[in-house]
Amino acid sequence: MAVSPLHVVPHLTTALSGPLQHLETVLLGHQSRIEAWLRGEWLKTPAPFYASVDLRNAGFKLAPVDTNLFPAGFNNLNRAFLPLCIQATQSAIERTCPTASGVLLVPESHTRNVYYLESLATLREIIAKAGFEVRIGSLLPGLTEARRIDLPSGRAVLLEPIRREGRRIEVEGFSPCLILLNNDLAGGRPPVLEDLDQPIVPPPWLGWTDRLKSLHFTHYRAVAREFAELLDIDPWLIDPVFRNCGEIDFMKRDGEDCLARNTEALLEEVRAKYAAYGIDREPFVVVKADAGTYGMAIMTVKSPAEVRRLNRKQRSRMAATKEGRAVSKVLLQEGVYTFETWGPGGAPAEGAVAEPVVYLIDHFVVGGFYRVHTQRGPQENLNAPGMHFQPLAFAETCINPDDRQAPDAEPNRFYAYGVIARLALLAAAREVAEHA
Amino acid sequence: MAVSPLHVVPHLTTALSGPLQHLETVLLGHQSRIEAWLRGEWLKTPAPFYASVDLRNAGFKLAPVDTNLFPAGFNNLNRAFLPLCIQATQSAIERTCPTASGVLLVPESHTRNVYYLESLATLREIIAKAGFEVRIGSLLPGLTEARRIDLPSGRAVLLEPIRREGRRIEVEGFSPCLILLNNDLAGGRPPVLEDLDQPIVPPPWLGWTDRLKSLHFTHYRAVAREFAELLDIDPWLIDPVFRNCGEIDFMKRDGEDCLARNTEALLEEVRAKYAAYGIDREPFVVVKADAGTYGMAIMTVKSPAEVRRLNRKQRSRMAATKEGRAVSKVLLQEGVYTFETWGPGGAPAEGAVAEPVVYLIDHFVVGGFYRVHTQRGPQENLNAPGMHFQPLAFAETCINPDDRQAPDAEPNRFYAYGVIARLALLAAAREVAEHA
């Protein structure tokens, strides 16, 4: 397979990269200690089937801001590293269901989103090449017969109606021994998936019907502290501080005091850190629905007053998330600046901001890409409604650092991304263990 | 990392490729059944730590002719697929020794063979990148202090003397929790490795001091039969028939009758198969030491008379193998023609014969290369003394077949190689299980 010659790679264009270069140096220098620690953790707490982790790289700080346990975007990965995905999938499924040969993939019902469907086609290909028979069982309401959708890549996906037979589900002539969910269940847990004898991975209760970001980041905070202790670094360098509010009603302005109070407390905490590290930036806070988003119900504030001054349009945008679900619980998270930029020809572009997204299958880092957005600033959310990011596949894997290059050279930076993404994965693993 | 653009790929230049294309078609068409079967087999019998398998591709037949459990040649793999090696090593070691962070690599004592030392440097790099501390503990007689050897690649290896401390071994300031053997122990089992509390993988009794090729191929025969039954094919298409003789003394001409009788029987058996498949070739037999070779003590014969007519020089060449070990047990194996050829510009070259070698770590196929030799014919042994093969790295992995291409297209042929190599690996796994 060909590797796209991506000589155009993101650069950190900030004078504030000191602590991060320090962090990258520490991670590279303690590779075997880090890997041994992670090995021990995976023995205690097995990794979820797969995940994608949105990172933000502020130069002075590298942290996860979102961990998706039903990842899409597989089509954005460098095809040269598909073999890594295939091998990791073999590891994952042989453990989850050793005798499985039939896998039913249950995707989102976005039949008009070709980006999603291309990701689905790639995921299907990965599982097939890992040595499984794969069919796609759709939860699309009213689907009574198989529907084939042709894709721009020349591939096609065949969505088949799911049939329930007692405590099993199947599609026409195919009774899978494993159900692989690629649907975040933000619209609720469908009854057809309840009480099955077949294993479902990830389990449906990890969907956004039940999951809270604040629980994830509570676990992440603990992971970051343990990891920071291992390496004797400040956990804040890898951990965005956060608070949360329940009982919010944006339309009725219920809970506004909680939002304002927590915004102020977070800004205060971050201001103190910025001062300690000599970072001359204005802290900001990201307010988002505690249960799932597709870049919906999310906003950036720099003062408690902003929370109180929201106009009707802003309120209604915050009031509901994907599939119209009302937002009553809110996460307030330290905003992490994105200072990685990208420009054609390798020159640092003006304002072309790049946010890394790292993909994991089982406990293996299998690749990643950058969301590159030219119209957004370094403090904005890059996964926002109407965003038209350009995916830029990582040119290298995250597991092949090169000690003959500088700590911030591409393979080494990617290694750092892979480490921080695995910390987020470990937090997710602990969420699962706690629930199970 | 860059992938070398190897557009120059081997081609089968024979009219006899019918059955093989059939075999490739069958393997591709039953991928999920094959993978499910292999998954089940690995559960019953875990794979050895690593292996390389020499295959021969006759167009009408694809079979392993040697399975090396202490592989060298890692430097010949495509560097683009190092991440696959790293990931597979993580899988292998986390199972073999989950809490290990210190690995002692015990290599061959070939300090003047830069090809071997480059392989060692690559293997060291793979293990380090998998997240382990690696040091090299040498069995070199008389080594009392660390010896650094600089390599043409710009890398270096540091060979350190092994010290025994009670039931553990270590090198200066480093007490490993796992010993990884990369020495086939053809010279005998060193006492320093006996009765250790630390795990040694692969176990020393898998070295050529104890191991017999005939036992390996006995297991392989059983594996090939089971696999052939699964796919309803003739096991001969993937299995070289063989016989063996003990009590041989080439210098004294002891056991000559056994050699002649078995040569005749094998030729007869192969002649019948050639006739059945309409293969217009003269069968031949490869005679080799039953316990290990480095391409030593090996010869090709086409009649029992040839065995009786050996001159003194030929006899003495057959009488001893690596490190002067006397040959008393002999394997006689159906010779498999090599019809894959290679030539600059992609044109089938005249007489440039290519033999595939597939690398495995744990039960994962991680890559391979071709031994390309311009001075040898299709029936000669390509791993022979004085051979100067050119390694030609596989341009693609063996786990990423492409169903939109022909069955003999490169990624698909490589998939077939990966399957047959794994059958040989399974035979080795059963050898280990039987002994353990």
Side-chain angles (χ1 to χ4, degrees):
Chain A
M1 87 225 31
V3 173
S4 325
L6 292 174
H7 301 299
V8 186
V9 298
H11 292 277
L12 267 183
T13 51
T14 166
L16 298 171
S17 62
L20 180 60
Q21 284 210 15
H22 168 70
L23 179 62
E24 282 165 343
T25 306
V26 169
L27 296 182
L28 285 169
H30 294 88
Q31 217 182 314
S32 59
R33 187 187 296 181
I34 292 168
E35 299 296 332
W37 182 78
L38 283 169
R39 279 196 295 280
E41 293 301 316
W42 301 131
L43 283 178
K44 284 187 263 174
T45 326
F49 185 82
Y50 51 14
S52 68
V53 178
D54 291 3
L55 298 176
R56 303 208 80 184
N57 186 351
F60 50 85
K61 176 163 188 161
L62 173 61
V65 295
D66 207 359
T67 303
N68 188 344
L69 296 178
F70 302 92
F74 284 99
N75 53 320
N76 296 328
L77 302 179
N78 192 328
R79 280 193 70 83
F81 303 123
L82 230 48
L84 274 182
C85 298
I86 295 167
Q87 193 176 284
T89 300
Q90 289 172 332
S91 283
I93 304 191
E94 76 190 7
R95 194 189 64 200
T96 308
C97 188
T99 52
S101 66
V103 173
L104 187 71
L105 190 49
V106 176
E108 299 284 346
S109 298
H110 310 144
T111 51
R112 284 193 213 94
N113 182 340
V114 289
Y115 301 107
Y116 177 73
L117 294 172
E118 290 283 6
S119 169
L120 182 62
T122 304
L123 181 57
R124 196 205 151 286
E125 181 185 344
I126 290 168
I127 299 163
K129 288 187 173 177
F132 299 87
E133 275 187 81
V134 199
R135 300 269 287 270
I136 300 173
S138 174
L139 294 170
L140 203 63
L143 187 76
T144 52
E145 56 185 26
R147 184 196 297 185
R148 178 189 159 104
I149 305 179
D150 291 300
L151 300 175
S153 62
R155 299 181 293 187
V157 290
L158 188 72
L159 306 180
E160 300 185 69
I162 294 176
R163 288 198 213 139
R164 177 105 187 194
E165 299 286 342
R167 291 172 62 87
R168 295 182 66 85
I169 57 173
E170 46 184 65
V171 293
E172 178 71 37
F174 181 80
S175 183
C177 103
L178 176 71
I179 319 297
L180 181 59
L181 258 192
N182 193 247
N183 183 316
D184 69 11
L185 305 182
R189 283 166 63 168
V192 74
L193 298 182
E194 299 291 330
D195 302 317
L196 291 181
D197 284 341
Q198 293 141 312
I200 307 188
V201 291
W205 43 261
L206 269 184
W208 285 126
T209 315
D210 302 275
R211 192 171 169 232
L212 291 178
K213 286 182 197 297
S214 52
L215 180 63
H216 176 71
F217 282 103
T218 301
H219 283 293
Y220 183 79
R221 180 157 56 197
V223 168
R225 280 179 189 166
E226 294 163 33
F227 184 77
E229 196 176 333
L230 179 80
L231 301 186
D232 195 22
I233 57 169
D234 178 354
W236 178 75
L237 294 177
I238 56 171
D239 185 23
V241 295
F242 75 94
R243 289 167 171 248
N244 57 312
C245 292
E247 311 291 324
I248 297 289
D249 186 326
F250 278 96
M251 300 318 288
K252 292 188 184 156
R253 309 183 70 149
D254 285 351
E256 196 172 88
D257 285 348
C258 177
L259 290 177
R261 198 171 58 240
N262 279 323
T263 299
E264 181 52 31
L266 280 177
L267 290 172
E268 201 46 57
E269 196 172 344
V270 177
R271 221 171 271 134
K273 281 292 184 184
Y274 279 17
Y277 283 103
I279 294 160
D280 186 22
R281 289 280 167 179
E282 190 181 359
F284 66 103
V285 165
V286 176
V287 182
K288 48 190 168 185
D290 204 351
T293 69
Y294 260 64
M296 295 171 78
I298 190 161
M299 67 180 177
T300 289
V301 294
K302 290 191 168 175
S303 73
E306 273 187 73
V307 173
R308 299 197 187 269
R309 275 198 317 252
L310 295 180
N311 62 30
R312 192 167 170 85
K313 190 175 158 204
Q314 289 168 315
R315 283 179 200 285
S316 71
R317 204 158 53 207
M318 288 303 293
T321 177
K322 191 191 165 204
E323 314 209 8
R325 193 155 163 248
V327 172
S328 65
K329 293 188 171 67
V330 163
L331 179 78
L332 298 97
Q333 190 175 48
E334 171 192 355
V336 182
Y337 282 93
T338 291
F339 283 127
E340 276 193 295
T341 58
W342 177 84
E350 318 216 331
V353 169
E355 185 184 60
V357 189
V358 176
Y359 282 69
L360 306 109
I361 295 178
D362 201 277
H363 57 281
F364 300 106
V365 185
V366 293
F369 65 91
Y370 284 96
R371 288 199 186 99
V372 178
H373 200 296
T374 47
Q375 267 97 58
R376 280 178 189 266
Q379 74 185 59
E380 286 179 276
N381 169 44
L382 298 189
N383 188 11
M387 66 169 291
H388 298 289
F389 67 85
Q390 291 292 321
L392 176 67
F394 288 1
E396 316 218 6
T397 65
C398 300
I399 61 174
N400 198 8
D402 184 347
D403 59 12
R404 288 175 294 186
Q405 293 189 52
D408 61 343
E410 204 178 45
N412 296 334
R413 169 145 304 161
F414 287 159
Y415 177 69
Y417 288 174
V419 172
I420 303 302
R422 281 182 289 169
L423 299 182
L425 185 72
L426 178 56
R430 293 185 182 177
E431 274 181 80
V432 178
E434 190 178 74
H435 191 298
Chain B
M1 86 226 31
V3 172
S4 325
L6 291 175
H7 300 300
V8 187
V9 298
H11 292 276
L12 268 184
T13 52
T14 168
L16 299 170
S17 62
L20 180 59
Q21 285 208 14
H22 168 70
L23 180 62
E24 283 165 342
T25 306
V26 168
L27 296 181
L28 285 169
H30 294 90
Q31 216 181 316
S32 60
R33 188 188 296 180
I34 292 167
E35 299 295 331
W37 182 79
L38 283 169
R39 279 195 296 279
E41 293 301 316
W42 301 132
L43 282 178
K44 285 188 260 174
T45 327
F49 185 82
Y50 50 15
S52 68
V53 179
D54 291 3
L55 298 178
R56 300 210 83 186
N57 186 352
F60 51 86
K61 176 164 188 160
L62 172 62
V65 295
D66 207 359
T67 303
N68 188 343
L69 296 177
F70 302 93
F74 283 101
N75 52 320
N76 295 329
L77 302 180
N78 192 329
R79 281 193 68 83
F81 304 124
L82 230 49
L84 273 181
C85 299
I86 295 167
Q87 194 175 284
T89 300
Q90 290 173 331
S91 282
I93 306 191
E94 77 188 7
R95 193 191 63 199
T96 307
C97 188
T99 53
S101 65
V103 173
L104 187 70
L105 191 50
V106 176
E108 299 285 346
S109 298
H110 310 145
T111 53
R112 287 193 212 92
N113 182 339
V114 289
Y115 301 106
Y116 177 73
L117 295 172
E118 290 283 7
S119 169
L120 183 61
T122 304
L123 182 56
R124 194 204 154 286
E125 181 186 344
I126 290 168
I127 300 163
K129 288 187 173 178
F132 298 88
E133 274 187 83
V134 198
R135 300 269 286 271
I136 300 173
S138 175
L139 295 170
L140 203 64
L143 186 77
T144 53
E145 54 186 24
R147 185 197 295 184
R148 179 189 158 105
I149 304 178
D150 291 300
L151 299 176
S153 62
R155 300 181 293 186
V157 290
L158 188 73
L159 306 180
E160 299 185 70
I162 293 176
R163 287 197 211 140
R164 176 105 186 194
E165 300 285 344
R167 293 172 59 88
R168 295 180 67 84
I169 57 173
E170 45 184 65
V171 293
E172 177 72 39
F174 181 79
S175 183
C177 99
L178 176 72
I179 319 295
L180 181 60
L181 258 192
N182 193 246
N183 183 315
D184 69 12
L185 305 181
R189 282 166 63 167
V192 73
L193 298 183
E194 299 290 328
D195 301 319
L196 292 180
D197 284 342
Q198 292 143 311
I200 307 188
V201 292
W205 43 261
L206 269 185
W208 284 125
T209 316
D210 301 275
R211 192 173 169 230
L212 291 178
K213 285 181 199 298
S214 52
L215 180 63
H216 175 69
F217 282 104
T218 301
H219 283 294
Y220 183 77
R221 181 159 51 198
V223 168
R225 281 179 189 168
E226 294 163 32
F227 184 76
E229 195 176 334
L230 180 78
L231 301 188
D232 196 20
I233 56 169
D234 179 354
W236 179 76
L237 294 176
I238 56 171
D239 185 23
V241 295
F242 75 95
R243 288 165 174 251
N244 57 311
C245 291
E247 310 293 324
I248 299 289
D249 186 327
F250 278 95
M251 300 318 288
K252 293 186 186 155
R253 308 184 69 148
D254 286 351
E256 198 173 86
D257 285 347
C258 178
L259 290 178
R261 198 172 54 243
N262 279 323
T263 299
E264 180 52 31
L266 281 177
L267 290 172
E268 203 43 60
E269 194 173 345
V270 176
R271 222 171 270 133
K273 282 292 183 184
Y274 279 17
Y277 284 102
I279 295 160
D280 186 21
R281 291 278 167 181
E282 191 181 357
F284 66 103
V285 164
V286 177
V287 182
K288 47 189 170 184
D290 204 352
T293 68
Y294 259 64
M296 296 170 77
I298 189 162
M299 68 180 176
T300 291
V301 294
K302 290 192 170 173
S303 74
E306 275 186 72
V307 173
R308 300 197 187 269
R309 275 199 315 256
L310 296 179
N311 63 29
R312 192 168 171 83
K313 190 175 157 205
Q314 289 168 316
R315 285 178 199 287
S316 73
R317 206 160 51 205
M318 287 304 294
T321 177
K322 191 191 166 206
E323 313 208 8
R325 192 153 163 249
V327 171
S328 66
K329 293 188 171 71
V330 164
L331 179 77
L332 297 97
Q333 190 175 47
E334 170 192 355
V336 182
Y337 283 92
T338 291
F339 284 127
E340 276 194 295
T341 58
W342 177 84
E350 319 219 331
V353 170
E355 186 184 60
V357 190
V358 176
Y359 280 70
L360 306 109
I361 296 179
D362 201 278
H363 58 279
F364 300 105
V365 185
V366 295
F369 64 90
Y370 283 96
R371 289 201 185 97
V372 178
H373 199 296
T374 47
Q375 268 99 59
R376 277 178 191 268
Q379 74 186 59
E380 286 179 276
N381 170 44
L382 298 188
N383 188 13
M387 66 168 287
H388 298 289
F389 67 85
Q390 291 291 322
L392 176 66
F394 288 179
E396 315 219 7
T397 65
C398 301
I399 60 174
N400 198 8
D402 184 348
D403 60 12
R404 287 174 294 184
Q405 294 189 53
D408 61 342
E410 204 177 45
N412 296 335
R413 169 146 303 162
F414 288 160
Y415 177 69
Y417 288 174
V419 171
I420 303 302
R422 280 182 289 168
L423 299 183
L425 184 73
L426 179 56
R430 292 184 183 178
E431 274 181 81
V432 179
E434 187 178 76
H435 192 296

